[in-house]
Amino acid sequence: MSDERIQLLEWKVGEHSSAIKELRADHHKLSNALVGIQNSLKQIKWTVLGAVLYAMATEVGLLNAIKAVLV
């Protein structure tokens, strides 16, 4: 191989190495963002579940029965 071709290949490898480092940094940021979104969705799920259970207990009258037993 000629020296020019070797230098071109070395330059391309350097560019690819830089691009890979940037992609890894972006991957880390996106991963952290997804964890935050996942935690928010879990919180919403449990809040809705609690509201539904409370509404069901109120509708059936279980809340009054539990209060009567505890008092």
Side-chain angles (χ1 to χ4, degrees):
M1 280 195 186
S2 69
D3 288 336
E4 290 177 11
R5 291 182 70 183
I6 292 173
Q7 288 176 350
L8 179 62
L9 287 172
E10 288 175 346
W11 179 79
K12 285 184 180 182
V13 168
E15 290 295 314
H16 289 157
S17 179
S18 298
I20 289 171
K21 287 179 185 176
E22 289 178 25
L23 288 173
R24 285 185 179 156
D26 289 344
H27 174 267
H28 184 69
K29 290 176 189 176
L30 288 173
S31 181
N32 288 339
L34 287 174
V35 168
I37 292 169
Q38 184 178 19
N39 289 337
S40 295
L41 289 174
K42 284 180 186 178
Q43 184 178 8
I44 292 168
K45 176 182 83 173
W46 290 112
T47 301
V48 169
L49 182 65
V52 168
L53 290 175
Y54 178 78
M56 288 174 57
T58 302
E59 194 66 31
V60 174
L62 290 177
L63 215 52
N64 291 332
I66 292 172
K67 285 180 182 177
V69 171
L70 293 178
V71 173

